Amino acid sequence: VMAASFNNDDSQIVSLAPPPTIMVTSDDTVDEGAKIKRHRKFVTLKRWFSHHSPRHHSDKQIETPSTPTELLQRHNSSLLRRRSMEALDELFLVPLPKVMLRSLVSDNFMVMPDDPYLENVPIKAEVLSVESLQWSQPFNPNIYTIKLKHGPFVWVIRKTYRAFHTLKGDMIHWRNENSTVTAKATVSTPLPQSPRSPRKQFSLMRRQHSIKLRSTFQELDKEDDLIITRKELRHGEHRGKLTRFLNAILEDPNLRKHPSTLHFLEISQYTFVEDLGMKLREGEVAKRSGGYHYVPSCVGASLFTNFKLSVWRNRWLVLKESFLAYIDLDKNSVTGVLLFDETLHVQAGVRHTGTRHGVKISNQEREFVLCCATHRKMTEWKVAILKAMGGPGRVWIEKKRFESFAPVREHCDMTWFVDGEHYMSSLADTLESAVDEIFITDWAISPFVFLKRPCKDKGCYWRLDQILYRKAVEGVKVYILIYKEIERVLNLGSAFAKDYFTTCHPNIVVLRHPDHLSEGILLWAHHEKVVVVDQTVAYVGGMDLTFGRWDTWQHQLTDVGISPLTVLDNPYLSGSKKGSMVSLLGGIPQSHSMIALSSTLTDVLAHVSAVVQVKSGESYQMWIGKDYYNTFIRGLENSEEPFTDNLDRSQEHRMPWHDIAVCLYGQPARDVARHFIQRFNFTKVSKRKTNDSYPYLLPRREFTEQEIPSTEYLHRPSVNTRNCKCQVLRSVGDWSAGLTTQDNSILKAILHSIDYSEHFIYMEIQFFISNLPNQGVYNPVAEAIRNRIARAFSAKQTFRVYLVITLLPEVGGVLGDDSGVPLEALLHWEYSSLFKGRDSLMQRLVREDGIPEDQLWEYISLCGLRAHNKLNGVPVTEILYVHSKLLIVDDKITVVGSANINDRSLLGKKDSEVSVIIEDTDMVTCLINGQPMQVGKFSHSLRTHLFKEHLGLLGNTGANKVVEDPVARHFYEGNWMNTAVKNTIRLQRVFGGKCIPSDDVRNFTELTEFRKQGGLLGTDIEEAMKVLDEVKGHLVTFPTHFLEQEQLRNTIRPLPSEVFY
């Protein structure tokens, strides 16, 4: 019989000598049975003394007795009699285990939550079978298979007989510690206490809880695994005893949440979280540090990483349906996550891992090297991971279309949004409904953008920072990823946004990436625009949550109404700031306010925003402060003063903004969330690995068809279809997501869609730079379009390509002088891709495919958008900035997201992007080239809405019939091309030199003269107004001869030219 006792150092175990050597009395005639019995009493009391030493009771200086005689003498003292008698009662209640007890206070033991179990749900155990391993494990030969059920969770564990005895010993030890009023429990909920005396209290507790435990514990104590015969093992009696033992513990509300019980059952705080999926396997392992594949290009970082020594640490490993996570046993928090992907690989053994009983798990991001306690556990871990890869997690292991990270999803629910008004309104409602978590990643973000306008009724209620603050106060976790720009080159205000959000509330966590110098990333950006709520609703598209993006389909240029926001008289503001600067926090308590702001702004916080009452005939401003801006007039300045106007509204107009986004619901939203989680975890490892304020995120499990909830509460301005196929696409690589290979599935999906198009292609795009391999541009989108047009020409097939591109990039500067070099560079690469030079799309169609130049326009049209409005009664015009990233093919396939047509967006190794391909399965009959054909409701409704907006037909009766057939000649030439040409002529006639770019300008000299032209505005204002009344919509032609005689500069020294494409 082996027994164990703790000495004064709680982390050590002292083994006692065999019983015959310990003499409790001087009477040598005492039989061996009495000696053993007294020895057990001594062990129990010694253990009790050791845990009630001065370390535990500073008010009573008690020393642990060293001999049985000293113990019994001190037992008679009035101070200890009561406590020792309780320990003796406990001794007779439950026999001591036959194995050494494990320390419950060692540094490596796992700290558990208060109660990880489902509330009011029983947990049942059943020992199913036993496997004998006498030849490999002669001293602990039998492995018991145990099935456990807790609500919907069912799992199987395999334990040795020694594990049962260890669990029993820990239960005894815990009850011994917690049988008094003063003893501290090792779990959060102690045994019931009563006002009775300690002995009566313990007697009551014993009557209530000990009858079943005593019988089951005594049954277990009477048997030894080494002497049980195979016949007894095959018989159910032995398994029944073990089953009763486990269920007796699990029925006790305190014992079942004891750390030893949780350890035995392989349970952690993540086990019964239903959204994380089924319980597969958990357990304690040793993990080797390191293993990340991506190493920053900075020399110092590379040397540090390459020479860093590996360290082994004990971790609690959790296997779920689609990921592995490990938990720090000391902090009880996740310290690493490995997501399942196509490269997931599992190996075991010293040959593959370099360590005995080792398991190596690797994916595109990193590899885990684990060390298990035994060969059996190593094998069990390998088998469990392989089973998970073949179970629900196989969707992430299998090869996917376009080599995307996400699979094709059937029966998806989604909505399209055109322009910012309806998009941001729907987003505000969805954010307001958040329950658990919100993910946001943007190229640029401003806390002060209003999502619903005008804000006349609720003031700042629908401002982004206010929404996120309200949800954070409710307990919703908000995680924001922002692109960290190089401020000297491009100041997006990311540092200010991070400081502001993080000081609003601790539940708002913000990370910026990349760190340019430490990671060596100077040229590329995180360009995606994604919002995910509760991993159930996701918004994907081209709209950043920042200034200037909110717009309506009218795209008005002026906004001279009354500002709904003002501040009280503020002594810290003067001049133009006074009366326009608003309290930044707008209602956020000072305790969570922007402590890091300058003293001036901190003083401003005391002044709460107010709502101005508008008089009859007046209107509220829709674009407040710097939201009213125009890059072509003046770039954004002083972003820390968001409510100070950047333009003179009485003299200067804004730049309108056209954009497109979609809302995904259900499983596609979880795919988008998985991408965000991967990027967030990678950024945490890169920048805040040891900072617990930035937690690791975990993906939720797959939806089932019965679980996909209704989306009726969402605000929809468009036709909603529930029957679409959907696949999430992205562009990421090593620097952006830590992957060993580039994911360029957006490019593959675009090429596939163009190649399989039958009747027409419609594209709205901000930048089109493609297929200039001799100049370093490698994405072949232009080549794919050329091949499809060439096939149609050879087959004498009617085929249309609609390209709607922004007329000028949103880059500050003046063409013709040094400030306009960035603008020149972008125009050079775009014109060279489309129509200028031997390698351009149009010249290759003429030269290599034999299409006559005068017939090119039968196949391809290049257009842009321009708006006009009145300012103080005088007409003004501006480019309608096309920020969309949209492809529609045959009204059946839609690709929409954040990716432009250039190498930056499409190759995967440069900018990070997210898009989605949508394939209609819910069809409707429409005319295509005069013939009735099946088209998709989603794609068709989106395309016709855009055509009506561009042609000025929204709200017109019969407009649907006009735009129904995009291939027919009467529409293509009679409506689309004719409207674009006439609008271009009329606008240029009215505004003259303000309509830049123009085909009338072939060089910089002509540009200078052209700018001096005033048009009809300078000669005949009445005639100008009549001409403008004839302008329909915003569609204009894209100039193909603008500056064709100039050799545009293609880069800015010392930047490489690839920064522009």
Side-chain angles (χ1 to χ4, degrees), residues 314-470:
N314 284 359
R315 294 290 183 259
W316 185 266
L317 191 63
V318 178
L319 173 63
K320 287 293 185 180
E321 295 176 3
S322 66
F323 68 91
L324 275 161
Y326 57 88
I327 302 171
D328 189 316
L329 297 172
D330 298 324
K331 299 179 181 178
N332 198 29
S333 60
V334 176
T335 52
V337 179
L338 184 143
L339 301 179
F340 286 12
D341 60 28
E342 293 180 2
T343 65
L344 187 66
H345 192 53
V346 184
Q347 295 174 303
V350 66
R351 186 167 66 111
H352 300 290
T353 64
T355 183
R356 189 183 180 193
H357 308 324
V359 180
K360 182 167 73 174
I361 311 129
S362 60
N363 69 351
Q364 285 196 79
E365 296 178 79
R366 63 173 305 182
E367 66 179 28
F368 286 171
V369 178
L370 313 173
C371 181
C372 303
T374 65
H375 184 274
R376 173 181 64 85
K377 291 186 177 180
M378 175 195 75
T379 305
E380 289 177 355
W381 268 111
K382 180 179 178 181
V383 171
I385 297 171
L386 292 175
K387 284 184 177 180
M389 293 168 61
R394 69 180 180 276
V395 68
W396 302 105
I397 308 300
E398 296 169 345
K399 293 291 183 181
K400 305 169 190 66
R401 187 179 61 165
F402 309 132
E403 299 183 20
S404 173
F405 80 105
V408 177
R409 303 294 186 178
E410 303 281 351
H411 310 296
C412 300
D413 192 10
M414 58 193 61
T415 304
W416 53 258
F417 299 95
V418 176
D419 301 318
E421 179 184 17
H422 296 299
Y423 169 80
M424 292 190 182
S425 177
S426 173
L427 177 60
D429 291 335
T430 305
L431 290 173
E432 193 71 14
S433 68
V435 176
D436 297 318
E437 54 196 1
I438 295 172
F439 301 156
I440 300 175
T441 178
D442 268 335
W443 177 73
I445 187 170
S446 170
F448 313 112
V449 60
F450 288 84
L451 300 186
K452 288 191 178 186
R453 309 180 192 192
C455 51
K456 57 183 180 180
D457 298 324
K458 292 191 175 183
C460 297
Y461 187 86
W462 293 112
R463 206 170 70 193
L464 178 61
D465 65 321
Q466 299 289 303
I467 298 174
L468 297 183
Y469 172 76
R470 285 197 302 273

Side-chain angles (χ1 to χ4, degrees), residues 117 121-125 148-150 155 247 250 256 265 267:
Y117 298 98
V121 177
I123 179 171
K124 296 295 183 181
L148 296 119
K149 187 177 188 303
H150 183 50
W155 71 103
N247 286 323
L250 296 177
R256 76 174 191 168
L265 301 179
I267 292 175

Side-chain angles (χ1 to χ4, degrees), residues 69-299:
T69 303
E70 181 182 356
L71 186 149
L72 293 175
Q73 290 174 350
R74 293 180 57 187
H75 169 263
N76 294 325
S77 68
S78 59
L79 175 65
L80 299 177
R81 181 176 300 170
R82 183 180 61 191
R83 296 176 183 173
S84 59
M85 286 304 295
E86 294 166 4
L88 288 172
D89 286 344
E90 182 73 3
L91 171 65
F92 290 109
L93 174 66
V94 185
L96 280 174
K98 296 182 180 179
V99 296
M100 295 180 64
L101 299 178
R102 182 177 66 249
S103 170
L104 300 183
V105 290
S106 66
D107 293 337
N108 292 331
F109 201 81
M110 190 172 182
V111 180
M112 287 295 180
D114 288 351
D115 194 346
Y117 298 98
L118 301 177
E119 187 175 359
N120 298 324
V121 177
I123 179 171
K124 296 295 183 181
E126 180 184 2
V127 180
L128 298 178
S129 61
V130 58
E131 177 186 359
S132 180
L133 303 174
Q134 287 184 336
W135 297 106
S136 59
Q137 297 178 210
F139 296 104
N140 199 26
N142 298 324
I143 307 297
Y144 296 86
T145 301
I146 308 162
K147 177 182 177 182
L148 296 119
K149 187 177 188 303
H150 183 50
F153 296 91
V154 179
W155 71 103
V156 174
I157 58 176
R158 301 177 78 232
K159 297 293 180 180
T160 63
Y161 199 70
R162 178 186 299 167
F164 284 90
H165 271 287
T166 303
L167 175 62
K168 172 190 165 184
D170 291 342
M171 297 301 99
I172 296 170
H173 182 77
W174 180 80
R175 291 182 67 104
N176 287 341
E177 279 194 320
N178 290 274
S179 59
T180 65
V181 177
T182 56
K184 293 183 179 181
T186 58
V187 292
S188 58
T189 307
L191 290 177
Q193 304 292 333
S194 72
R196 304 170 186 265
S197 65
R199 283 190 59 82
K200 291 182 179 181
Q201 174 197 351
F202 184 74
S203 299
L204 178 62
M205 178 193 68
R206 178 171 57 185
R207 288 195 300 270
Q208 293 177 341
H209 300 287
S210 66
I211 297 175
K212 192 170 184 178
L213 284 172
R214 181 172 59 216
S215 61
T216 56
F217 278 31
Q218 287 175 347
E219 282 183 338
L220 189 64
D221 194 49
K222 293 176 182 177
E223 297 185 352
D224 196 304
D225 206 31
L226 290 173
I227 62 175
I228 297 176
T229 64
R230 292 188 178 183
K231 182 178 180 180
E232 291 175 316
L233 290 176
R234 288 194 300 266
H235 195 269
E237 179 64 23
H238 179 63
R239 298 198 304 272
K241 293 177 181 179
L242 296 177
T243 300
R244 290 191 293 272
F245 165 75
L246 288 178
N247 286 323
I249 293 176
L250 296 177
E251 289 172 6
D252 188 297
N254 299 294
L255 294 182
R256 76 174 191 168
K257 62 183 179 180
H258 186 279
S260 294
T261 307
L262 300 178
H263 194 282
F264 182 91
L265 301 179
E266 300 176 1
I267 292 175
S268 69
Q269 67 267 45
Y270 301 100
T271 301
F272 303 123
V273 180
E274 188 174 358
D275 277 340
L276 295 182
M278 299 184 301
K279 172 174 173 43
L280 300 181
R281 184 176 174 84
E282 300 182 30
E284 187 175 350
V285 297
K287 180 197 163 291
R288 190 167 68 192
S289 61
Y292 292 95
H293 296 317
Y294 172 69
V295 178
S297 59
C298 176
V299 175

Side-chain angles (χ1 to χ4, degrees), residues 803-805 807 857 861-868 877-879 950-951 975-1001 1010 1013 1015-1016 1024 1027-1028 1030-1042:
L803 292 182
V804 178
I805 310 173
L807 294 173
W857 303 110
S861 70
L862 295 181
C863 294
L865 301 177
R866 178 174 285 276
H868 67 90
T877 186
E878 187 56 87
I879 290 171
H950 299 335
L951 296 172
N975 290 91
W976 187 265
M977 297 297 294
N978 187 48
T979 300
V981 171
K982 288 183 177 180
N983 283 348
T984 303
I985 294 173
R986 289 164 179 160
L987 289 171
Q988 189 166 317
R989 183 185 173 196
V990 172
F991 295 105
K994 296 181 180 179
C995 291
I996 297 174
S998 170
D999 277 332
D1000 293 341
V1001 176
F1010 183 77
Q1013 298 180 15
L1016 285 176
V1027 173
L1028 288 178
E1030 299 176 356
V1031 175
K1032 298 179 180 179
H1034 308 107
L1035 193 69
V1036 295
T1037 59
F1038 191 93
T1040 57
H1041 300 290
F1042 180 63

Side-chain angles (χ1 to χ4, degrees), residues 458-527:
K458 292 191 175 183
C460 297
Y461 187 86
W462 293 112
R463 206 170 70 193
L464 178 61
D465 65 321
Q466 299 289 303
I467 298 174
L468 297 183
Y469 172 76
R470 285 197 302 273
K471 303 315 293 183
V473 170
E474 293 174 10
V476 175
K477 302 294 185 180
V478 181
Y479 303 98
I480 303 175
L481 280 174
I482 311 177
Y483 164 56
K484 184 178 181 181
E485 76 280 16
I486 301 178
E487 294 184 2
R488 291 189 177 182
V489 178
L490 178 68
N491 187 359
L492 300 175
S494 67
F496 177 82
K498 178 186 177 182
D499 291 341
Y500 182 89
F501 277 126
T502 54
T503 52
C504 280
H505 196 277
N507 279 343
I508 301 178
V509 179
V510 184
L511 282 172
R512 294 196 303 158
H513 188 263
D515 284 340
H516 304 284
L517 294 180
S518 62
E519 298 188 29
I521 305 300
L522 300 175
L523 305 180
W524 317 130
H526 290 296
H527 192 244

